[in-house]
Amino acid sequence: MCFSFALTCTDGRARAGVLHTPHGAVRTPVFMPVGTQATVKAIPPRDLEELGAQIILANTYHLYLRPGDELIARRGGLHRFMSWPHPILTDSGGFQVFSLSEMRKIDDDGVTFKSHLDGSMHRFTPEKSIRIQENLGADIIMCFDECPPPTDREYNAIALARTHAWAVRCREAHTRTDQALFGIAQGGIFRDLREQSARFLTSLDFPGYAIGGLAVGEEKADMFQVIAWMDDALPAHKPRYLMGVGEPTDLIRAVQRGVDMADCVLPTRLARHGAAFTRDGRINMRNRIYAEDERPIDPECDCYTCRNFSRAYIRHLLQAGEILGLYLMSVHNIAFLLNLMRAAREAIVQQRFAAFAQNWLARYERTENPTHL
């Protein structure tokens, strides 16, 4: 088989496993850096390898518009196009299309939308999303789904029926045996809808399942409740992928509730705004208090940035608008989340995850820390 998942260890609800893909194995739980346009912003593939990234994401919507999925197919697919020989996951384009709001129209067959680049008209159907993702050639691809507002029950019920019908069509359209197609569970913050979605998608026997429609404005307590429901409802022997979550505390709490995979643009987005992760919370590297600070961003981090550069120097780069500052910040933030998930996996394997999570969260969330934002 080109794709398989082995659950190797559990500690409470937390899980450690191994995903086997055509481009290598992925040890879970894992954070997946996002390379929206076939690049993780500011970080070359060489550096991602050095950081220990096992799998990265690319975006169907953006790559369809530019440079075009057929062009990428002619260049040998995403792995060759972006010089990344390791596993890749592509989303379906659904979230981006539905986030266009006034620029799209939904019907039961698909979505018609305007390009955010030039206003040209386009249409995505489940079949077209699959065709684009097959052209891109990622190891894991996603069903085309509708991502509705999480607290609107009436609309979630309508969107769920559409998402399920589209999942069937995606499964029928999928032809490449070297790609794993994941279903996406929707249903907002409503338990019966979420469980209905899990039952339906499980009946289609996808090789993995994503939890979609979260981290889009709902309360954190609601998000974690939904994740816990999904841990009970989704099959234990298949991977669970939480879409669009990257805050360190959210990752720990998601792993506590049975999540295996997560992705988010947050680490590089925060880096571009001068914010850095540390074990004592998030800090603003543009703050004047770091102007003569000789410490690394995080004294306990072993990334290239923290091994070689001071807070004072990085603040100078950011204040001067130097590109190197964005690169060094991005390297650190990505490294921080990758290291966090590796540490979580080690704690699960050693049967000490509960203590690890409690201690890690207590330190990160201390509000009395003078550098905490």
Side-chain angles (χ1 to χ4, degrees), residues 213-249:
L214 294 178
V216 288
E218 77 282 0
E219 296 292 330
K220 285 289 182 73
D222 289 330
M223 178 177 78
F224 295 125
Q225 184 65 76
V226 169
I227 297 170
W229 294 336
M230 292 292 93
D231 179 47
D232 293 329
L234 292 173
H237 65 289
K238 295 190 177 181
R240 292 89 169 266
Y241 161 31
L242 178 61
M243 308 181 79
V245 172
E247 183 66 43
T249 53

Side-chain angles (χ1 to χ4, degrees), residues 60-307:
T60 292
Y61 166 84
H62 288 282
L63 294 177
Y64 159 76
L65 291 177
R66 181 178 56 191
D69 56 291
E70 293 181 355
L71 182 150
I72 291 174
R74 291 194 300 271
R75 306 313 304 158
L78 267 180
H79 292 91
R80 181 180 175 191
F81 187 62
M82 62 185 296
S83 294
W84 176 256
H86 309 292
I88 297 176
L89 184 152
T90 48
D91 65 8
S92 69
F95 178 79
Q96 286 72 32
V97 168
F98 291 109
S99 67
L100 293 173
S101 185
E102 301 301 320
M103 299 170 66
R104 50 95 171 131
K105 182 178 180 181
I106 308 168
D107 57 63
D108 287 342
D109 183 59
V111 185
T112 301
F113 62 94
K114 288 184 179 180
S115 164
H116 73 288
L117 297 175
D118 59 11
S120 58
M121 297 301 298
H122 301 269
R123 183 166 176 80
F124 272 12
T125 62
E127 293 79 8
K128 185 167 184 177
S129 174
I130 295 298
R131 184 169 69 251
I132 295 168
Q133 293 184 81
E134 290 190 339
N135 280 337
L136 297 176
D139 301 85
I140 301 172
I141 67 175
M142 308 303 299
C143 284
F144 191 59
D145 65 325
E146 182 172 1
C147 184
T151 58
D152 184 337
R153 181 182 176 84
E154 182 178 358
Y155 191 77
N156 265 275
I158 296 169
L160 192 63
R162 188 174 286 140
T163 288
H164 290 170
W166 289 357
V168 173
R169 290 167 59 186
C170 285
R171 195 172 185 277
E172 292 173 347
H174 182 220
T175 63
R176 287 187 59 161
T177 59
D178 60 342
Q179 292 180 307
L181 174 63
F182 280 23
I184 304 178
Q186 290 286 356
I189 62 171
F190 307 101
R191 182 167 189 168
D192 59 328
L193 297 183
R194 285 287 178 174
E195 291 177 341
Q196 176 188 339
S197 189
R199 286 192 301 271
F200 182 85
L201 294 173
T202 299
S203 74
L204 298 179
D205 195 28
F206 289 108
Y209 299 93
I211 306 169
L214 294 178
V216 288
E218 77 282 0
E219 296 292 330
K220 285 289 182 73
D222 289 330
M223 178 177 78
F224 295 125
Q225 184 65 76
V226 169
I227 297 170
W229 294 336
M230 292 292 93
D231 179 47
D232 293 329
L234 292 173
H237 65 289
K238 295 190 177 181
R240 292 89 169 266
Y241 161 31
L242 178 61
M243 308 181 79
V245 172
E247 183 66 43
T249 53
D250 293 348
L251 291 176
I252 291 294
R253 292 188 169 101
V255 171
Q256 280 181 323
R257 292 160 174 81
V259 164
D260 304 304
M261 310 160 64
D263 79 286
C264 196
V265 299
L266 187 66
T268 50
R269 178 175 290 170
L270 288 178
R272 296 194 299 277
H273 289 85
F277 297 130
T278 80
R279 283 164 176 74
D280 295 302
R282 194 190 299 180
I283 61 175
N284 182 355
M285 289 300 302
R286 297 183 185 274
N287 195 312
R288 289 183 60 186
I289 63 174
Y290 303 122
E292 299 187 48
D293 192 333
E294 285 301 310
R295 294 174 297 169
I297 293 176
D298 186 338
E300 297 175 42
C301 179
D302 65 353
C303 75
Y304 172 75
T305 301
C306 290
R307 291 197 314 268

